[in-house]
Amino acid sequence: MTDIRKDLRDYMFRGLMFESEAGQFQAAGIQVGADHSQAEERLLSEALAPFGVSRRNGALEMARLYAVLHCFENEVRSLIRETLEEKEGPEWANKLPAKIKQHAESRQKTAFDDSWLEGEKSDILGFVDFGQLASIILESWKHFEALMPSQHWLKQRMDELEKARNFIAHNRMLLPSEFQRIYMYVADWNRVIGL
């Protein structure tokens, strides 16, 4: 074996051994490698530094809430996609309510044609408005009724969360009691759906 091949083999073997042992250290609560959280905190602190303390604190509270709503909304999209794909087959998207499908396809086409943004564009549900997600579930209620207590339960939570989501999307500050209501609705959904 040539020296270069031996050196390469030894290097790769040491890397694999380190990776294996690093997992054990991390499981024991020992930090291995760079601490990205401190770097992220520093970058966020620098980006927010020009703004007043009150504005920064409000932004951080809203960012936490936005993260929860982002996860919630995308979990609802996943639930719809997975359920309809399982029950309706691979052509499930063709069976979406006509107005909703048309609206989503129009927005998707605009994203492909006119946008400089290169994020996810292939998922039709990504172009469905939040408020339309409940309509899709209600249209296909027979596939979802075993998951949810009632159509009223679904509609009430989705309507309330849509109002809050739109409020947040326009960078308006909520009251602490409104934060709690949103967290309660999301936790209720997660409990019922089984997240």
Side-chain angles (χ1 to χ4, degrees), residues 68-94:
V68 168
L69 285 173
H70 171 87
C71 291
F72 171 77
E73 182 171 335
N74 286 293
E75 282 295 326
V76 173
R77 291 178 200 282
S78 291
L79 175 70
I80 291 170
R81 182 184 315 99
E82 291 164 9
T83 302
L84 292 181
E85 192 172 284
E86 178 186 322
K87 304 292 186 180
E88 300 284 345
E91 300 298 318
W92 64 269
N94 293 330

Side-chain angles (χ1 to χ4, degrees), residues 20-192:
S20 171
E21 291 176 5
Q24 292 173 351
F25 285 120
Q26 289 171 332
I30 299 170
Q31 182 181 328
V32 176
D35 183 1
H36 295 287
S37 62
Q38 287 179 351
E40 287 294 323
E41 285 179 31
R42 190 180 73 252
L43 288 172
L44 180 60
S45 180
E46 289 171 8
L48 294 177
F51 305 104
V53 171
S54 178
R55 177 90 55 222
R56 289 192 308 245
N57 288 341
L60 292 172
E61 284 182 68
M62 294 303 288
R64 215 173 12 259
L65 187 57
Y66 172 83
V68 168
L69 285 173
H70 171 87
C71 291
F72 171 77
E73 182 171 335
N74 286 293
E75 282 295 326
V76 173
R77 291 178 200 282
S78 291
L79 175 70
I80 291 170
R81 182 184 315 99
E82 291 164 9
T83 302
L84 292 181
E85 192 172 284
E86 178 186 322
K87 304 292 186 180
E88 300 284 345
E91 300 298 318
W92 64 269
N94 293 330
K95 298 176 184 175
L96 291 173
K99 274 180 115 172
I100 293 173
K101 185 173 185 282
Q102 196 173 36
H103 173 75
E105 287 174 339
S106 171
R107 291 176 70 197
Q108 188 177 36
K109 182 182 180 329
T110 299
F112 275 115
D113 293 346
D114 300 336
S115 180
W116 56 269
L117 299 170
E118 295 184 16
E120 169 59 45
K121 296 179 185 177
S122 63
D123 179 19
I124 191 74
L125 286 178
F127 295 93
V128 170
D129 288 342
F130 183 90
Q132 295 172 325
L133 296 173
S135 297
I136 293 171
I137 293 172
L138 293 172
E139 255 330 283
S140 302
W141 183 247
K142 65 184 178 193
H143 301 314
F144 294 92
E145 66 184 334
L147 297 172
M148 298 173 200
S150 69
Q151 291 181 6
H152 174 75
W153 178 90
L154 168 72
K155 191 90 174 97
Q156 179 189 24
R157 275 142 192 83
M158 294 297 282
D159 286 350
E160 290 292 323
L161 288 170
E162 180 184 19
K163 291 173 192 169
R165 177 203 180 275
N166 293 342
F167 205 85
I168 293 163
H170 290 280
N171 295 306
R172 296 185 200 116
M173 193 68 191
L174 296 175
L175 298 174
S177 61
E178 295 164 332
F179 275 81
Q180 293 311 311
R181 181 180 298 239
I182 293 168
Y183 290 136
M184 180 186 71
Y185 277 152
V186 171
D188 191 33
W189 173 277
N190 291 345
R191 180 186 50 77
V192 168

